[in-house]
Amino acid sequence: MRWFLLLALVAATEALVKVTLQKKKSLRESLREQGKLGDFLKKHTINPASKYSAILAAQVSSEPMTNYMDASYYGAISIGTPAQQFNVIFDTGSSNLWVPSNTCNSDSCSNHNMFNPAASSTFKSINESLSIAYGTGSMTGVLASDTVQVEGITVTNQVFGLSETEADFFYYMQFDGILGLGYPSISSDGVTPVFDNMWSEQLIPQNLFSVFLSSNSAVGSVVTFGGYESSYYSGSLNWVPVSDEGYWQINLDSITINGNVVACSGGCQAIVDTGTSLIAGPDTDIANIQKDIGATLNADGEYAVNCKTMGSLPEIIFTINGVQYPLSEKAYIAQASCTSNLQASSPGLWILGDVFIREYYVVFDRANNQLGLAPIA
């Protein structure tokens, strides 16, 4: 019996599919280096929480998204027969897959990989329109279906979007499209997400996936489908119930600095989102935290600290389900620019983006509607 269990464990481990993620400079970082960030922010209002307007509107006919100027992790997938390759953001804050079409007439598509339906023998047209709104523009296109490959996983007849127009700022993005990993209830047009098809077609051993994001470009970041790996984290996983099955939304107990509650007094809601690079929260709460860490508004419209104070800034502690998750200044301050990785959002949602996930390994457990969190190894 012992040997059977061992062999079963080995087989399950081998069945895990790991997608390597590349970490590149975000648009914000690139514009800052070029001295163009201030002008960009004057023209484009960035509000991370507009991505979740469906929560407030109580409808899911559209898929609002924004803040992709901060996205910097993406991985490769392929669509069609023979395979056409695309770099996509694996986004836990949305649920649709879409990539540019070769009929896209926007400049934003011109420097990205574009899907050619005529070159795929397994392509099927659905002839339904798709429209996705951003805080800085929109994407419009059509739905279709084809074979989608994610590393060793092949999903047949996957419905996905083909963009025909895209917002201007996508021109500067290094990824081609987006693969959503949220719940099917927030999917535009009722499309079954890629991950749900992986599970229903028995292509993965467990109904979950996990994410490891590294701040070190020499250490590979990965999304693992069908399981999680203890080598990426230290200690044990703490399990947190999902409070609303749509986004990966959880209850946040409080946020403290030096033992004092500075935000989320009495509890609040937070969304763990791989598609948002920063940590975002309600205007007043973020303003209080910026003040406590000594960050002030600079000429580019960002909050920055005096670089001389680096090394003495306090931890920001997020308490989730009774467990403390501290973030040091190395996490919440961009080291090269001494700017804060905290951003105000409206309405009052907390978004735990890549700044948080780089510090804590996350298991997204659909089978039990819970998140597993542990410090990275």
Side-chain angles (χ1 to χ4, degrees):
M1 183 66 176
R2 180 182 301 172
W3 284 109
F4 174 78
L5 290 175
L6 178 60
L7 289 172
L9 178 60
V10 171
T13 302
E14 290 178 346
L16 300 184
V17 174
K18 296 168 62 174
V19 180
T20 301
L21 302 180
Q22 301 180 58
K23 183 180 186 296
K24 299 292 185 178
K25 289 181 181 179
S26 68
L27 176 59
R28 185 186 297 268
E29 292 168 327
S30 297
L31 290 173
R32 184 189 294 125
E33 289 180 357
Q34 298 173 40
K36 298 178 181 179
L37 180 60
D39 289 339
F40 183 92
L41 291 176
K42 289 176 183 178
K43 297 176 181 178
H44 301 282
T45 301
I46 304 300
N47 177 26
S50 67
K51 184 176 183 179
Y52 309 103
S53 62
I55 293 177
L56 300 180
Q59 54 83 32
V60 292
S61 60
S62 63
E63 180 195 340
M65 296 186 298
T66 190
N67 206 36
Y68 283 109
M69 70 176 292
D70 289 310
S72 55
Y73 293 91
Y74 57 81
I77 67 166
S78 62
I79 304 175
T81 308
Q84 301 176 44
Q85 186 164 305
F86 300 90
N87 290 318
V88 297
I89 295 289
F90 288 87
D91 178 23
T92 59
S94 65
S95 295
N96 287 77
L97 166 63
W98 68 265
V99 297
S101 166
N102 67 339
T103 60
C104 179
N105 55 20
S106 298
D107 288 340
S108 298
C109 297
S110 63
N111 62 343
H112 290 97
N113 295 319
M114 295 181 283
F115 183 77
N116 181 4
S120 173
S121 63
T122 47
F123 176 83
K124 296 177 183 177
S125 176
I126 294 178
N127 199 30
E128 290 184 18
S129 61
L130 175 69
S131 179
I132 299 176
Y134 316 84
T136 54
S138 65
M139 162 274 196
T140 64
V142 295
L143 292 174
S145 75
D146 209 328
T147 298
V148 173
Q149 295 182 349
V150 182
E151 288 293 332
I153 302 175
T154 300
V155 179
T156 58
N157 300 313
Q158 174 65 49
V159 177
F160 67 106
L162 287 170
S163 69
E164 296 180 330
T165 67
E166 291 185 11
D168 291 343
F169 79 96
F170 268 104
Y171 180 86
Y172 303 98
M173 298 284 85
Q174 292 176 303
F175 58 86
D176 304 308
I178 295 166
L179 192 155
L181 292 171
Y183 282 75
S185 60
I186 62 168
S187 177
S188 295
D189 296 295
V191 172
T192 301
V194 173
F195 177 77
D196 289 75
N197 282 329
M198 288 181 182
W199 174 245
S200 65
E201 295 177 20
Q202 301 181 344
L203 303 175
I204 50 177
Q206 295 184 77
N207 190 12
L208 56 81
F209 61 93
S210 51
V211 175
F212 168 74
L213 298 184
S214 173
S215 57
N216 184 350
S217 57
V219 179
S221 302
V222 296
V223 175
T224 304
F225 291 100
Y228 54 90
E229 299 178 83
S230 59
S231 60
Y232 287 122
Y233 63 89
S234 60
S236 58
L237 290 164
N238 298 307
W239 295 99
V240 183
V242 170
S243 59
D244 190 355
E245 298 169 21
Y247 301 101
W248 289 96
Q249 186 172 337
I250 58 176
N251 293 315
L252 181 58
D253 301 341
S254 65
I255 301 172
T256 58
I257 294 178
N258 293 326
N260 300 314
V261 176
V262 294
C264 191
S265 178
C268 56
Q269 294 293 296
I271 293 170
V272 181
D273 182 9
T274 59
T276 299
S277 114
L278 306 176
I279 287 181
D283 296 8
T284 301
D285 286 345
I286 291 292
N288 290 338
I289 296 174
Q290 304 283 31
K291 182 179 179 180
D292 282 359
I293 65 174
T296 56
L297 205 60
N298 66 17
D300 284 335
E302 295 185 291
Y303 278 85
V305 299
N306 187 328
C307 294
K308 294 180 180 179
T309 65
M310 297 292 290
S312 61
L313 299 181
E315 288 185 327
I316 301 174
I317 297 176
F318 294 78
T319 301
I320 302 170
N321 205 28
V323 178
Q324 293 187 344
Y325 297 89
L327 291 183
S328 70
E329 64 176 52
K330 290 184 179 179
Y332 67 79
I333 297 293
Q335 302 298 293
S337 58
C338 299
T339 52
S340 171
N341 285 327
L342 306 168
Q343 183 170 336
S345 63
S346 179
L349 290 167
W350 281 95
I351 305 168
L352 304 182
D354 297 347
V355 168
F356 182 86
I357 301 170
R358 277 195 292 268
E359 303 299 310
Y360 296 99
Y361 186 71
V362 187
V363 179
F364 297 83
D365 184 355
R366 280 285 299 279
N368 300 294
N369 294 315
Q370 61 183 359
L371 287 172
L373 300 172
I376 60 170

